[in-house]
Amino acid sequence: MENYSPQIETFPNNSFNASPDFYQRPWFRTHRFIIFVIIFLISATISLTFTYSRPAIYRSTATLLTSAMTAIDRESGPADVQHVAIQKQILLSNELIEGTLSRLKASASSGPLQQLTTHDIEKFLTVEPVTDTNLVQIRAEGTDPEFLPLLVNTWIDVYLDARADEIKKLMGSTSGQIEDELKGLAKKITLKRTELNNFRKFNDISSTGREENEPLARLNGINSSLNKASEDEVRAKAKLAAIRSAIARNKAVVPDSEQGSLQDLEKRLQDLRERLSDFDEKFTRDYLTKQPALKIIPEQIKKIEAEIKKRRTYGKSVVLTEAENDYAAARQTVAEIRDQLAEHKKQAAAFTAKFAEHDALKTDLEGLEKLHRETQERLVQIQTSQKEKYPQVTVINRAYVTSDPIGPNYSRDALISLVSSVLLGLFAVWIVDYLTRKQQPQAAITLSGIHMYNPVNADMLTYQQTTAQSIEQKPVNALASPEYRELSSHQLRALLNASNLKGKQLISLLLSGLTLDEAASLRADQIDLEKATITVFTSIPRTLGISNSLKTLLAQSGGQTAWDADKSSSADLIATLLCAAVDSGLPNPGEITADAIRHSYIAYLVRQGIRLSDLEQITGTLEPSVISSYSTYSPPQQGRGIDEIELLHPALIDIA
């Protein structure tokens, strides 16, 4: 491939693309700025004048609680959205508005109030129901903050007076009708109560609760006893079946009182058997028979086994007999209770029929008493409460004078006016430029190389020509490549798979940034498996992260290297690596050395674009010539920091 030196072309001042004119008019005198200022001032003046010429609007508010329209003697129901909407129309009716207007004029003999009309009041007033409630909000908006609360409060007073007039017409006739109803109900209640008392005495009903009377209370007691006896029978039967099943499986079944002693015997038997087993491992039986203190152990074992067998046999018979007796007793109890229950059910059935009649009489009496109470409550409410065909109304809050207007928002509107004026000025400048723009001629000359548009002296030109010549003559790849063999990720993985634990640890450490000597001298106190780090104490102390695979390999040797335990030397590690290279089947195993593996890892880092000056933070001290030799691997871009590259070599991912 041929190399070409860059071309250097020099143009005089009066040539193509001459230097710009530095003596132009100031920016604030340009036609663009003048147009922008004129349009901005005109627009801002008009908009701000309109904004601040608008009068301030005030609002006065009152809130009423209104219930749905019901009869004069009935309480209002829950929230009725439809009815509240109707009340809105009633409040805005001409009758109420005319009454409000008349009262306002009567309160002021002269002044602006005398000029008001119903149409003026309708423009001021607004009624808005609050969603899903019986609340009604009354609002008046206008420019006079003193008049608005007077108007709202007068309107409310007229509405309340209309309610009071209606009450007087309806209360009198309704009270007389309800009093007559109360007298008739009192007579019926007296007769019904006498009939109920006579029925209770004749049928021996002592309590108003059905289950509290003797026949049904006794029936419930027998039922409870039968349920308990049935549960006891089921438990006794299950216990008997469990004991028989355990005996059939030849399991130990003994009474609870014998459990402790039997467990002690079994524990003693187990101890003697373990002692005899220990002696059998150390001595022969002939020797044991000659030792007085030891020959009695087999005899003791036989005695204890016989005693355990005897107690188990006796316990089976005792436990089985007790279970059979308990089951028979439970069955007998259930049979007797069932006979009693059958006899008493007949008496309970007759009593139930009589009690049903009693309940009917009691229900009739309670209905009359409830109707009597409700009628009394209606009478009291009519006499004490304000009810009418209009809804019941409570004034939550009245209107008051406010000094804060609700609008317009002068600050916001002024800001919008200014921003709009700025945008209009910019748009006007763009329109003028668009309409007055001239077509610019395009350059027809394309230049390459290095162009110089200003005059230069001869020395500078000579220097540039010399530099260009030196660049042309310089070899493209002047730095020598490293002398070690570079292994691919596939070859390194094959090498790891062919290695033993010691070899896998060594290769993983070399692919993590350690040298052979650093790996050989690595001790357990330098390894922190919890933080997954290794601390190397050299001329440049550094802390390196380790992969999960290397962490697992180190954990297999107790948190330290495999050669730390057997005190292997660097020569032993070199031999281990050579054996792994031969076993892997890779070509030229003699070239697969610790330096080659370390070189492969450094080349992997450099190819990612790591800054060469940061290499020593991972690999330790390197000669400047070695660092510069790796520049041939570096991509043509700005160097990246350690945090921006992947430090884990692909060969160390998920190794076994």
Side-chain angles (χ1 to χ4, degrees), residues 29-81:
R29 292 185 180 178
T30 60
H31 73 284
R32 292 183 178 181
F33 182 74
I34 294 173
I35 294 173
F36 171 79
V37 170
I38 293 173
I39 299 300
F40 171 77
L41 291 177
I42 294 174
S43 176
T45 301
I46 295 173
S47 57
L48 290 177
T49 301
F50 172 76
T51 298
Y52 286 100
S53 64
R54 293 175 296 170
I57 304 299
Y58 297 88
R59 176 185 293 171
S60 186
T61 306
T63 304
L64 302 181
L65 174 62
T66 175
S67 60
M69 183 174 61
T70 59
I72 187 64
D73 56 346
R74 299 291 183 181
E75 289 190 5
S76 300
D80 190 342
V81 178

Side-chain angles (χ1 to χ4, degrees), residues 446-584:
T446 302
L447 303 178
S448 61
I450 302 175
H451 308 280
M452 300 187 66
Y453 299 97
N454 296 324
V456 293
N457 55 35
D459 295 337
M460 180 60 69
L461 182 60
T462 303
Y463 170 75
Q464 292 173 345
Q465 292 174 350
T466 304
T467 304
Q469 183 179 4
S470 63
I471 294 175
E472 179 183 4
Q473 295 174 356
K474 185 177 181 179
V476 176
N477 189 7
L479 296 177
S481 300
E483 58 184 358
Y484 302 111
R485 172 183 177 181
E486 182 179 356
L487 302 174
S488 66
S489 299
H490 176 73
Q491 292 173 332
L492 290 170
R493 187 176 291 276
L495 183 63
L496 283 165
N497 292 334
S499 303
N500 56 12
L501 178 61
K502 185 185 298 185
K504 289 180 179 179
Q505 291 181 355
L506 176 60
I507 296 171
S508 299
L509 290 172
L510 293 173
L511 291 178
S512 299
L514 275 72
T515 64
L516 177 63
D517 293 337
E518 290 173 345
S521 61
L522 193 63
R523 297 295 177 258
D525 57 351
Q526 299 176 246
I527 302 173
D528 190 343
L529 295 183
E530 293 183 359
K531 298 181 179 178
T533 58
I534 293 177
T535 303
V536 182
F537 301 105
T538 58
S539 59
I540 303 179
R542 62 191 191 279
T543 300
L544 304 176
I546 59 178
S547 64
N548 292 331
S549 302
L550 178 55
K551 180 180 177 180
T552 303
L553 294 173
L554 294 173
Q556 295 178 13
S557 57
Q560 60 182 355
T561 58
W563 54 86
D564 190 13
D566 55 14
K567 306 302 181 183
S568 300
S569 61
S570 299
D572 296 332
L573 297 181
I574 294 174
T576 300
L577 188 59
L578 179 59
C579 293
V582 174
D583 294 339
S584 66

Side-chain angles (χ1 to χ4, degrees), residues 363-390:
T363 302
D364 294 341
L365 177 60
E366 290 176 350
L368 291 173
E369 291 176 343
K370 181 179 179 182
L371 182 58
H372 187 269
R373 288 193 301 270
E374 290 176 351
T375 306
Q376 286 180 328
E377 290 176 358
R378 290 170 60 191
L379 180 60
V380 172
Q381 290 173 357
I382 290 174
Q383 293 174 349
T384 59
S385 302
Q386 293 182 354
K387 304 281 187 177
E388 81 255 30
K389 67 176 180 180
Y390 288 100

